[in-house]
Amino acid sequence: MPRQVDYDSRRRRIVAAAFALVSEQGLEGMTMRDVATRAGVSVGAVQRCFSSKEEMMAAVVEDMNERVSTRARDRIADSADPDSAATMLKHTLAGIMPHDEPTLAETRAWLAFAAHSAVTPAVAVVQRKHYEGLAELIALLLRTAQASGDVRSDADADGEADTLIALADGLSMQILTGRLTTDSALATLDRQLTALRAAQ
Amino acid sequence: MPRQVDYDSRRRRIVAAAFALVSEQGLEGMTMRDVATRAGVSVGAVQRCFSSKEEMMAAVVEDMNERVSTRARDRIADSADPDSAATMLKHTLAGIMPHDEPTLAETRAWLAFAAHSAVTPAVAVVQRKHYEGLAELIALLLRTAQASGDVRSDADADGEADTLIALADGLSMQILTGRLTTDSALATLDRQLTALRAAQ
């Protein structure tokens, strides 16, 4: 096996192990040693891939964001009307929220990183960039839906994008506490999107 | 000084120290020893007040919730129209969101506990109860505002309560990342409340 392939597959295994640990136990007490044990590699191998815990965590966050995006794209492609901005909007937002055990695990890890970023400015920067990109995407989809007459023309696209993202995050937290089911949270999100819809 | 007074004041000092540590560093690596050092008491004294870290954290959460409620009550009492349900609704929700350094510290600690509760069922129970109480209060205020003609009669009070709470939580997270200011987050919350208002 060429060295690069070996390195990449080991890196992926370490990211997967770190993700599993964070989603099960939170960030508290997660050490490079725990991650190495879970990944079945030496601590030295972890250190060759990631110079710090922060760098490793950034890779986990990146991997999670990628999975969320891929899932949204897949859902859009599988939908009845994949080219409609309203469809993209709905699936992008619903895709943030957990709906089964793997996505619940992702959401637990996401919340752990969010809490960590609140006390670690370097991590907050990564998170802020992610949200800026997401807000731009949602605002763009809202404007596209306004242009095609699907969304009310008087809605403030940037403001509504902030609302929808905050709502999806807050609902995800409620699903994690077990107070809302995924279905009731999705119904709440749908009500918000319906209120944005232009009168037909 | 009578023993009970001594015990109570020590307990308060320990809760304040634990809160300060969580809001500064998150829950990671916070030990009973750290808390004792910060509070200026012995580890034994901490253990006499709290039999476990979980119990201590529950006391911190309770203390925080109390401060949020007190602040909401104060804001309502100070407002121009303290008896209006719409005023209570607005200040209760705005009171959840951080607006200065002490409330930013509270929100950082809140997020740390939220992340912790997602991987610790016993803590999730406490959090779920808190949210159930909050949702009941918000729904009651919405129904009262509907009865007085301030809020649209066709709004689903329980559903809108879930929306408003999730929105306030999600906006608080955006303030913590530094992507939204308190003012822009409050404007977003206001837009949501305005949309609920009955046509005059």
Side-chain angles (χ1 to χ4, degrees):
Chain A
M1 190 157 58
R3 269 184 178 232
Q4 188 58 40
V5 175
D6 188 35
Y7 176 84
D8 287 348
S9 86
R10 179 174 289 169
R11 203 173 185 280
R12 271 198 302 277
R13 213 156 78 206
I14 293 166
V15 166
F19 165 73
L21 283 173
V22 173
S23 72
E24 286 163 17
Q25 305 167 12
L27 280 167
E28 299 147 59
M30 191 194 79
T31 64
M32 297 288 253
R33 182 166 298 280
D34 296 331
V35 174
T37 305
R38 181 76 169 239
V41 301
S42 68
V43 172
V46 173
Q47 284 163 340
R48 277 193 295 280
C49 289
F50 302 100
S51 63
S52 68
K53 201 173 151 180
E54 301 292 281
E55 204 184 304
M56 188 175 70
M57 290 194 300
V60 175
V61 172
E62 210 171 296
D63 183 57
M64 273 168 49
N65 289 344
E66 205 138 306
R67 265 185 281 171
V68 172
S69 302
T70 304
R71 228 173 17 242
R73 271 198 302 271
D74 288 351
R75 278 163 170 243
I76 292 165
D78 288 349
S79 70
D81 192 6
D83 296 328
S84 122
T87 299
M88 291 186 223
L89 191 61
K90 184 180 163 162
H91 287 297
T92 302
L93 288 162
I96 298 175
M97 287 157 54
H99 58 272
D100 55 12
E101 191 36 50
T103 51
L104 275 168
E106 266 175 32
T107 310
R108 283 193 296 268
W110 158 77
L111 195 55
F113 287 118
H116 183 64
S117 83
V119 291
T120 316
V123 184
V125 171
V126 177
Q127 194 136 11
R128 198 155 59 232
K129 274 198 188 141
H130 164 69
Y131 276 113
E132 274 163 12
L134 185 60
E136 269 172 38
L137 171 66
I138 302 291
L140 175 71
L141 291 173
L142 282 169
R143 285 198 188 91
T144 308
Q146 283 179 312
S148 65
D150 287 330
V151 159
R152 286 193 289 105
S153 57
D154 65 334
D156 163 16
D158 292 309
E160 295 296 340
D162 286 345
T163 299
L164 290 167
I165 291 169
L167 182 60
D169 280 352
L171 289 172
S172 295
M173 289 180 72
Q174 294 292 324
I175 297 172
L176 283 188
T177 66
R179 206 185 70 81
L180 293 187
T181 62
T182 299
D183 284 347
S184 60
L186 282 175
T188 302
L189 180 66
D190 263 342
R191 203 176 35 239
Q192 191 73 17
L193 289 171
T194 302
L196 284 171
R197 217 172 280 160
Q200 297 296 331
Chain B
M1 190 156 57
R3 266 179 183 239
Q4 187 58 41
V5 175
D6 187 34
Y7 176 84
D8 287 349
S9 87
R10 179 173 289 169
R11 202 174 186 278
R12 270 198 302 277
R13 214 157 76 207
I14 293 166
V15 166
F19 165 73
L21 283 173
V22 173
S23 72
E24 287 163 16
Q25 306 167 11
L27 281 167
E28 300 146 59
M30 192 195 78
T31 65
M32 299 287 253
R33 182 166 296 280
D34 296 331
V35 174
T37 305
R38 180 77 169 237
V41 302
S42 69
V43 173
V46 174
Q47 285 163 340
R48 277 192 296 281
C49 289
F50 301 101
S51 63
S52 67
K53 200 174 150 181
E54 301 292 281
E55 204 183 304
M56 188 175 71
M57 291 195 298
V60 175
V61 172
E62 211 171 294
D63 184 57
M64 274 168 47
N65 289 343
E66 206 139 304
R67 265 185 281 170
V68 172
S69 301
T70 304
R71 227 172 17 242
R73 272 198 301 272
D74 290 350
R75 278 164 171 241
I76 291 165
D78 288 348
S79 70
D81 192 7
D83 295 329
S84 122
T87 298
M88 291 187 224
L89 190 60
K90 184 181 164 162
H91 286 299
T92 303
L93 288 162
I96 300 176
M97 286 156 53
H99 58 273
D100 56 11
E101 190 37 49
T103 50
L104 275 168
E106 267 175 31
T107 310
R108 282 193 297 267
W110 157 76
L111 195 54
F113 288 118
H116 183 64
S117 83
V119 291
T120 315
V123 184
V125 171
V126 177
Q127 192 134 13
R128 197 154 59 232
K129 275 197 187 141
H130 165 69
Y131 276 113
E132 273 163 13
L134 185 60
E136 268 172 38
L137 171 65
I138 301 290
L140 175 70
L141 291 173
L142 282 169
R143 285 198 188 91
T144 309
Q146 283 179 314
S148 66
D150 287 329
V151 158
R152 285 193 289 106
S153 58
D154 65 334
D156 163 17
D158 292 310
E160 295 296 339
D162 286 346
T163 299
L164 289 167
I165 292 168
L167 182 59
D169 280 353
L171 289 173
S172 295
M173 289 179 72
Q174 294 292 325
I175 296 172
L176 284 188
T177 65
R179 207 184 70 82
L180 292 188
T181 63
T182 299
D183 284 346
S184 60
L186 282 175
T188 302
L189 180 65
D190 263 341
R191 203 176 37 236
Q192 191 73 17
L193 289 170
T194 303
L196 283 171
R197 217 172 279 160
Q200 297 295 329

